[in-house]
Amino acid sequence: MANKTIEDYLKAIYQVDVDQDGAGTTELAERLGIAPASVTGMLKKLAAQDLVTYTRYQGVGLTNAGRAIALDVLRRHRLAERYLADVLGLPWDRVHDEAEEWEHVLSDDVAARMDAALGWPSTDPHGEPIPSARGDVPPLADTPLARLRPRHTARVARVSSEDAEFLRYLGSMGIYPHVALTVLTIAPFGGPLTIEVSGQCHAIGQGVAERIFVVDISPLPAAEEPA
Amino acid sequence: MANKTIEDYLKAIYQVDVDQDGAGTTELAERLGIAPASVTGMLKKLAAQDLVTYTRYQGVGLTNAGRAIALDVLRRHRLAERYLADVLGLPWDRVHDEAEEWEHVLSDDVAARMDAALGWPSTDPHGEPIPSARGDVPPLADTPLARLRPRHTARVARVSSEDAEFLRYLGSMGIYPHVALTVLTIAPFGGPLTIEVSGQCHAIGQGVAERIFVVDISPLPAAEEPA
DNA sequence: GATAATTATTAGGCTCTCCTAAATAATTGA
DNA sequence: TCAATTATTTAGGAGAGCCTAATAATTATC
Ligand SMILES: [Mn+2]
Ligand SMILES: [Mn+2]
Ligand SMILES: [Mn+2]
Ligand SMILES: [Mn+2]
């Protein structure tokens, strides 16, 4: 298996070009907390090992070998998070930092045993899908809460953040995966949304609503909304 | 917390001068799989950080700070082993290698949660004592099987080895902590012992018997053995 | 389409941890 | 006691992974 540094690079590259197409040096550098110059050097090294396709000034992409490792790391990371949350009772805002280390340390066998002990979960505590041991990632079928229309009710599918404070904020409103919520109003010009979560109303910013992904479960209307 | 390299050095120093008094450069080098010259260099560094007392050609010892770290690493290692064995069902010959990595990765809180989830165990799967979070190690009250007299029955307390093949060999005879066994004969001149374990007899070498630590549970004789 | 701003790369260096080979100290034993 | 052996240290060096400062390529702006 690759070493910790390489695993973190490949995972970061994967994640950057999942949520914005194309991974730039600076973006990677920020995500990894490393100077851009250092990233350039490492990308050359990864390219030499055929884990990445890299052309100067053009950005990086994963090769199949690189993607396989990235997904494997992601799998371990999310399994570890699930494990820490479900078995050891760690709150969801603390599992990420721990898993960031565990992901480099779990053997295949241990990961498989954890998977089984958990009943082969499909997502981590934040709702992110856990890649299979074969490297399959179930396609996502969710939309940002920010795109939901007023009066629609949805179930939280996942929360796209690793920021502990942010997660605690959501937790304080009772927002977790599987929880149902209803959009009451959306202020114009990027203004806040008011939502109802388990009987309580809250106003949240657009930025927050962009990071909460939901699945609409509103009863189908008799006809489309009138135009 | 110290880094992985330093943690492994301190743990090795601790273990070397637990089971042979005084830690020599070469001994440490072997245990760590590193050239003696490299160990010398690192010892100077550890001494500069006051983790170790070191005088050229004299060997090393731990300072209180160094011992505290060593015991903490040992605690995590053994808790991890117990966890891997009890919760994930990993066989006792495979837990060591995994724990060798886990020990550097577990946070205080996670270690404490594992400890609680396991019911505050006092030993690892090999019978080695788990230091407390405060750094207390219960004193050992066991003797090598090799020192037991014929016709005495004893309970296995611990097995002092990290060698997987050796552990599997013991397992094949049913030798694990808590198991009772009886010494039948001891051949002279460092010859083999015959022992009975759960109804089965086995002949084992002196070397093997030196690594199995037991507590005598023979019924007290009416008088001392006649001289 | 020239210039300015942004983004990325190269150049040169640093720290860590390890190595081998050579030198020196300590120990052993004849 | 002195020579041989063994243990340990010093010297010199390598590779990983990171950094800052300087330079080059790309992209945006007028
Ligand atoms: Mn990581
Ligand atoms: Mn997660
Ligand atoms: Mn270790
Ligand atoms: Mn053990």
Side-chain angles (χ1 to χ4, degrees):
Chain A
M1 193 33 148
N3 67 25
K4 183 183 150 97
T5 305
I6 289 179
E7 289 183 352
D8 278 337
Y9 268 89
L10 294 174
K11 189 179 59 148
I13 294 166
Y14 177 85
Q15 288 182 311
V16 167
D17 76 21
V18 156
D19 57 51
Q20 316 137 47
D21 218 54
T25 302
T26 307
E27 173 75 16
L28 278 173
E30 268 166 24
R31 199 171 279 242
L32 292 164
I34 279 173
S38 308
V39 172
T40 299
M42 184 59 69
L43 292 183
K44 286 188 199 166
K45 201 179 131 181
L46 294 176
Q49 294 180 236
D50 277 314
L51 295 171
V52 125
T53 56
Y54 167 69
T55 26
R56 287 161 61 230
Y57 295 101
Q58 298 298 98
V60 238
L62 294 170
T63 62
N64 287 338
R67 178 172 300 102
I69 293 175
L71 286 170
D72 202 33
V73 177
L74 211 53
R75 169 177 164 75
R76 291 163 204 275
H77 182 102
R78 291 178 179 168
L79 271 176
E81 286 190 345
R82 180 95 267 165
Y83 200 71
L84 288 162
D86 291 7
V87 179
L88 294 181
L90 218 65
W92 79 332
D93 59 298
R94 305 240 315 272
V95 295
H96 177 78
D97 288 352
E98 307 275 351
E100 198 60 47
E101 300 300 322
W102 284 44
E103 67 190 1
H104 309 295
V105 148
L106 302 180
S107 68
D108 278 340
D109 186 42
V110 167
R113 283 168 191 265
M114 284 170 58
D115 196 13
L118 293 164
W120 299 278
S122 57
T123 68
D124 78 7
H126 312 103
E128 302 282 359
I130 299 176
S132 78
R134 276 160 256 80
D136 307 316
V137 202
L140 298 177
D142 51 24
T143 45
L145 173 55
R147 256 196 262 327
L148 214 65
R149 298 289 77 208
R151 310 194 144 274
H152 279 237
T153 295
R155 199 170 288 286
V156 176
R158 71 192 162 97
V159 167
S160 178
S161 173
E162 296 167 349
D163 183 60
E165 211 174 334
F166 181 73
L167 293 172
R168 279 196 300 277
Y169 167 56
L170 296 189
S172 76
M173 297 185 287
I175 297 180
Y176 294 104
H178 307 302
V179 167
L181 51 76
T182 303
V183 175
L184 302 176
T185 66
I186 306 183
F189 303 107
L193 293 74
T194 50
I195 58 176
E196 188 185 317
V197 189
S198 40
Q200 292 271 334
C201 293
H202 305 277
I204 63 174
Q206 278 285 331
V208 172
E210 291 287 356
R211 312 210 70 89
I212 301 171
F213 290 79
V214 300
V215 175
D216 197 330
I217 53 169
S218 310
L220 288 173
E224 279 296 299
E225 291 182 358
Chain B
M1 194 32 148
N3 68 24
K4 183 181 149 97
T5 304
I6 290 178
E7 288 183 353
D8 279 336
Y9 268 90
L10 294 174
K11 189 179 58 150
I13 294 166
Y14 177 85
Q15 288 182 310
V16 167
D17 77 20
V18 157
D19 56 51
Q20 315 137 47
D21 218 56
T25 302
T26 307
E27 173 74 17
L28 277 174
E30 269 166 25
R31 198 171 279 241
L32 292 165
I34 280 173
S38 307
V39 172
T40 298
M42 183 60 69
L43 292 183
K44 286 187 199 166
K45 201 179 130 183
L46 295 176
Q49 294 180 236
D50 277 314
L51 295 171
V52 125
T53 56
Y54 166 69
T55 26
R56 293 164 52 234
Y57 295 102
Q58 298 297 98
V60 238
L62 294 170
T63 62
N64 287 338
R67 179 173 300 102
I69 294 175
L71 286 170
D72 201 33
V73 176
L74 211 53
R75 169 177 163 76
R76 290 163 205 275
H77 182 102
R78 292 179 178 166
L79 271 177
E81 286 189 346
R82 180 94 269 164
Y83 200 71
L84 288 162
D86 291 6
V87 179
L88 294 181
L90 218 65
W92 79 333
D93 59 298
R94 304 239 316 273
V95 295
H96 178 77
D97 288 352
E98 306 274 353
E100 199 59 50
E101 300 300 321
W102 285 44
E103 67 191 0
H104 308 294
V105 148
L106 301 180
S107 68
D108 278 341
D109 185 42
V110 167
R113 283 168 191 265
M114 285 169 59
D115 196 14
L118 293 164
W120 299 278
S122 58
T123 68
D124 79 7
H126 311 104
E128 302 283 0
I130 299 176
S132 78
R134 273 160 260 80
D136 307 316
V137 203
L140 298 177
D142 50 25
T143 45
L145 173 55
R147 255 196 263 326
L148 214 65
R149 298 290 77 207
R151 311 195 143 272
H152 279 236
T153 294
R155 200 170 288 287
V156 175
R158 69 191 163 98
V159 167
S160 177
S161 173
E162 296 166 350
D163 184 58
E165 211 174 333
F166 182 74
L167 293 172
R168 280 196 299 276
Y169 166 57
L170 296 189
S172 75
M173 297 185 289
I175 296 179
Y176 294 103
H178 306 303
V179 167
L181 50 76
T182 303
V183 175
L184 302 177
T185 66
I186 305 182
F189 303 108
L193 293 74
T194 50
I195 58 175
E196 187 184 318
V197 189
S198 41
Q200 292 270 333
C201 292
H202 304 277
I204 62 175
Q206 279 284 333
V208 172
E210 291 287 358
R211 313 210 69 90
I212 301 171
F213 290 78
V214 300
V215 175
D216 197 331
I217 54 168
S218 309
L220 289 172
E224 278 298 299
E225 292 179 1

